[in-house]
Amino acid sequence: MVEIAVMGYGVVGTGVIEVLAKHAEGLTLRAHEAIHVKYVLVRRDFPNPPMMGTFTKSFDQILEDPEVKIVVEVMGGLNPAYDYVRRCLLAGKSVVTSNKELVAAKGADLLQVARDKNVNFLFEASVGGGIPIIRPMSQCLAANDVVGVAGILNGTTNYILTKMFRDGTDFQSALKQAQELGYAERDPSADVEGADACRKICILASLAYGRHVYPEQVHTEGITRITLADVEYAETWGGVVKLIGEVKRTPDNRVSCIVCPMFIGRESQLANVDDVFNGIMVRGDVTGDVVFYGKGAGKMPTASAVVADVIDCVKHLKARKYLYWSDGDPDYVEDYREASRIFFVRAHAADADAAFEKAAAAFPGASRLHRKQAEPGEFAFVTDHLQEKVCDEKLAQLQKEGLTVDSRIRIGEM
Ligand code: HSE
């Protein structure tokens, strides 16, 4: 029998306890040992705690109990999670977490402590909820040099965008539904402003290239400024709008990494990833594109990934699984303005046709888009490839000449 502790009893914590109880027999077979929850760390009193495990408010009780070999951290947030996880690892306990904020901010440090102490620090649930992605990337795709990773990494925003576009549901109602379904973060601004997707692409980038990419290094834009006009233009152009997290290797061995809404062509495998589903495309130099798809948020899918990591820890109590990346560097992430892309631009002017002529002169190769419900003076176009900083300089110049840019959205090529 292996004793474990679960720190946190929120959406994911209750899911973990439920899966451990419901699948106890099968888990014992798969782990080759029974898994027993000795403690559940909670912040408040529960009048009728479930039978399984002992509810405690004392972290020290868990830390100081040598019988506890594996600790599951599902509290979320950086504090006190970072301190607790670090001390558990230092005490020789393996740790499993679903906490993407923790891994994105402190992954390199915690992986180093785990390595020094010869214990495991696993975080499959931190990206993609129930989708296997950390283990496939670190093990099954290990023969590849990763050319790039692009993904729809946030279930809440994908749910909102899908509801808005498919049913005409307004942003606030769609967000409320996502919250009721348990998809959203406690503070949903982390979803809609892109911070959650940013943490996840940081984890994938660190894993793909072996060096920590920190959230502060990644330019991040959310979906709050996306309008139905943009969506209509995306359809006219031949695609959809999705919140994308993307990382690529640059020729000088750095990385280019961004989170932002993008137009995605209908032919892309990410274009049909709807509702709360996440889709992650990994481009390996040997495999070509490999796509991972599934429920990226919610209590049970996330609990599934956490419990799988617990089983892995049980099976590797005396051995370390190889999962490691080194610390980052301030110069490691390329300035996003240097990247060359195609852009969609929506603008208006007193004379739309004349303004488009000017825009077309500034952006050679630009092609105009039309939509049925266009406002008077509105026009839109798609550029050829050019550097982002050059695109913005040209748009700033056009604005000086009397045109107003309402929207500028990157076009994804994946
Ligand atoms: N709020 C997150 C999402 C939960 O919507 O994807 C899973 O990380």
Side-chain angles (χ1 to χ4, degrees), residues 199-413:
R199 289 167 188 146
K200 292 167 180 166
I201 198 65
C202 285
I203 296 170
L204 296 181
S206 307
L207 192 61
Y209 301 115
R211 208 157 179 198
H212 202 124
V213 172
Y214 291 95
E216 312 78 75
Q217 296 178 293
V218 178
H219 179 72
T220 300
E221 294 171 22
I223 63 164
T224 50
R225 277 179 290 175
I226 297 296
T227 66
L228 289 173
D230 297 323
V231 175
E232 212 183 307
Y233 277 118
E235 280 178 342
T236 314
W237 169 77
V240 289
V241 184
K242 294 286 182 193
L243 182 67
I244 299 290
E246 181 187 76
V247 63
K248 285 183 198 156
R249 197 51 137 177
T250 60
D252 60 354
N253 266 345
R254 296 189 298 153
V255 293
S256 147
C257 193
I258 195 165
V259 173
C260 62
M262 289 187 188
F263 278 20
I264 301 295
R266 249 178 237 120
E267 67 289 351
S268 165
Q269 299 196 63
L270 295 181
N272 295 314
V273 176
D274 286 330
D275 296 309
V276 70
F277 286 87
N278 284 190
I280 304 161
M281 184 188 283
V282 181
R283 184 163 293 171
D285 67 334
V286 184
T287 54
D289 290 346
V290 183
V291 181
F292 300 85
Y293 172 84
K295 279 198 176 158
K299 173 174 162 174
M300 297 318 258
T302 310
S304 156
V306 171
V307 173
D309 274 352
V310 172
I311 295 174
D312 220 1
C313 282
V314 172
K315 287 164 89 174
H316 294 90
L317 273 180
K318 294 191 176 70
R320 245 200 103 246
K321 298 207 61 179
Y322 188 82
L323 183 59
Y324 183 78
W325 62 71
S326 61
D327 202 359
D329 183 280
D331 296 327
Y332 179 52
V333 181
E334 181 190 74
D335 183 339
Y336 70 99
R337 298 176 200 88
E338 301 290 327
S340 176
R341 298 183 183 276
I342 303 173
F343 296 89
F344 159 78
V345 178
R346 177 167 59 86
H348 69 269
D351 180 342
D353 291 338
F356 174 68
E357 288 306 313
K358 264 192 194 169
F363 291 95
S367 49
R368 191 166 176 181
L369 297 178
H370 296 272
R371 69 172 183 127
K372 284 198 196 102
Q373 327 239 354
E375 304 282 338
E378 175 184 306
F379 67 101
F381 61 92
V382 170
T383 69
D384 254 354
H385 278 100
L386 77 167
Q387 260 188 330
E388 181 152 338
K389 64 182 179 192
V390 176
C391 176
D392 287 347
E393 279 161 19
K394 286 176 188 276
L395 289 176
Q397 183 57 37
L398 288 170
Q399 299 226 78
K400 280 186 197 152
E401 295 169 23
L403 155 172
T404 305
V405 175
D406 298 306
S407 182
R408 198 270 275 131
I409 300 176
R410 299 166 186 90
I411 293 189
E413 296 171 88

Side-chain angles (χ1 to χ4, degrees), residues 68 100 215 264 330:
V68 173
K100 54 250 159 170
I264 301 295

